[in-house]
Amino acid sequence: MEKYLSIINQRTFGILAISLVSTLLIYHFSFTYDLDLTLISIAIVFPLVFTIRSAFKRRDRALEYLSRFRSGLVSVDFSFLSIKKLSKEDKTTIHQQILTTSKAMMDFLDGSIGTLDELRAEASKINQFILDKADLIKPSNRLKIINQLYNVHMGIETVASIKQYNTPKSMRAYCLIFIYLYPIMCTPSIYFKLQQGVHEGNLYLLIFLSLTSSFILISLFNVQEQLENPFDRKGLDDIHAETFAFKTHIN
């Protein structure tokens, strides 16, 4: 239950308070007008859905490139193990470096420790190992390993860009402003339509409709905000990066 309540925060109570107060004032002064609610879909719903879709696409790309990062490390590890001229100590050394690179990625995504520069440095040590042992590795094997490392480096750079750069802040700020304005702008129209129907402007129904619609909009905004960083473990759909860690061992 706690996870499902994660979309509720101080912003939620703020918009509900605005909605309740504005509804009571509108009802008290009988302030109504006929507003086409299509305007709301253009002003709020469309940009809000756009930002949510963008956030989900970023999450899907993060999953794709985390998979490529891990598969690249696994391939590189097995490629080094298959090189007969490398000593057992050399194979153990590069295996440990691959594990260190994987851990550096997990530390970077965790956010508490580890930087992008440290992660890049650890990945570069694998490339340096290839150069240092060039006389023991056939050119065809070197080319194969370098091609496999491409997935590793692409995974690092793509996931880093997703973590560090969010969807446009201006669009999210625009959505939030109009969500706060929504109860003030649209409750009079809801009241007007109720007066035209069988309920004749029932106060409790007006409050229910106003609060519900405001809650839906702010909840969607909160979901989108939680998806901004898919690695911070603050949302139901966040990525468990540790599942992509390299954990194989030399027998």
Side-chain angles (χ1 to χ4, degrees):
M1 179 60 71
E2 182 179 352
K3 289 184 176 180
Y4 294 100
L5 295 177
S6 62
I7 61 171
I8 299 176
N9 52 28
Q10 291 182 345
R11 192 184 293 119
T12 304
F13 294 108
I15 188 64
L16 291 179
I18 293 173
S19 183
L20 179 60
V21 172
S22 61
T23 300
L24 293 175
L25 290 175
I26 289 166
Y27 183 85
H28 177 74
F29 292 103
S30 297
F31 179 64
T32 66
Y33 53 73
D34 188 13
L35 174 68
D36 186 357
L37 294 180
T38 304
L39 174 65
I40 301 305
S41 66
I42 297 174
I44 303 178
V45 177
F46 175 76
L48 191 56
V49 171
F50 172 80
T51 55
I52 290 175
R53 289 181 63 184
S54 296
F56 267 108
K57 286 181 180 179
R58 292 172 67 254
R59 176 182 178 275
D60 289 342
R61 287 192 73 216
L63 287 170
E64 176 188 351
Y65 281 92
L66 275 173
S67 299
R68 292 179 65 174
F69 170 80
R70 187 182 187 282
S71 64
L73 290 180
V74 171
S75 299
V76 169
D77 186 55
F78 279 108
S79 294
F80 279 120
L81 286 175
S82 67
I83 299 174
K84 296 181 179 179
K85 289 186 178 182
L86 286 178
S87 66
K88 185 175 182 180
E89 290 74 16
D90 286 337
K91 292 179 180 180
T92 301
T93 298
I94 191 59
H95 179 79
Q96 290 300 322
Q97 184 55 49
I98 292 172
L99 287 172
T100 302
T101 301
S102 176
K103 184 178 184 303
M105 173 68 106
M106 300 304 110
D107 291 342
F108 170 69
L109 295 179
D110 181 66
S112 57
I113 54 177
T115 65
L116 180 57
D117 288 337
E118 292 173 349
L119 171 57
R120 287 169 174 164
E122 294 298 339
S124 296
K125 290 178 182 179
I126 302 176
N127 297 76
Q128 187 60 47
F129 181 87
I130 298 173
L131 296 177
D132 294 341
K133 302 297 179 180
D135 57 327
L136 300 176
I137 305 174
K138 294 179 180 179
S140 58
N141 286 337
R142 288 203 302 270
L143 181 60
K144 180 177 69 173
I145 295 172
I146 290 171
N147 287 336
Q148 292 164 347
L149 280 173
Y150 173 80
N151 282 330
V152 176
H153 290 289
M154 277 296 295
I156 291 172
E157 300 303 326
T158 303
V159 170
S161 67
I162 291 172
K163 177 178 172 60
Q164 295 181 328
Y165 295 95
N166 298 331
T167 54
K169 294 181 179 179
S170 57
M171 181 71 77
R172 288 186 287 128
Y174 163 85
C175 289
L176 187 59
I177 289 172
F178 272 92
I179 288 173
Y180 279 117
L181 290 175
Y182 169 82
I184 300 173
M185 294 172 53
C186 296
T187 302
S189 178
I190 297 174
Y191 188 27
F192 175 83
K193 296 182 185 303
L194 286 178
Q195 288 179 325
Q196 309 306 308
V198 296
H199 298 288
E200 298 181 353
N202 182 281
L203 173 61
Y204 299 108
L205 181 58
L206 179 62
I207 291 174
F208 173 77
L209 292 175
S210 180
L211 293 182
T212 301
S213 53
S214 295
F215 178 79
I216 291 172
L217 291 175
I218 199 63
S219 295
L220 287 173
F221 182 87
N222 290 338
V223 167
Q224 190 276 333
E225 188 176 58
Q226 289 180 352
L227 285 171
E228 281 301 299
N229 183 353
F231 305 107
D232 60 3
R233 303 292 187 86
K234 294 182 179 180
L236 291 173
D237 298 299
D238 278 0
I239 296 172
H240 296 273
E242 68 275 6
T243 60
F244 295 92
F246 178 80
K247 299 176 182 179
T248 59
H249 300 281
I250 298 176
N251 294 322

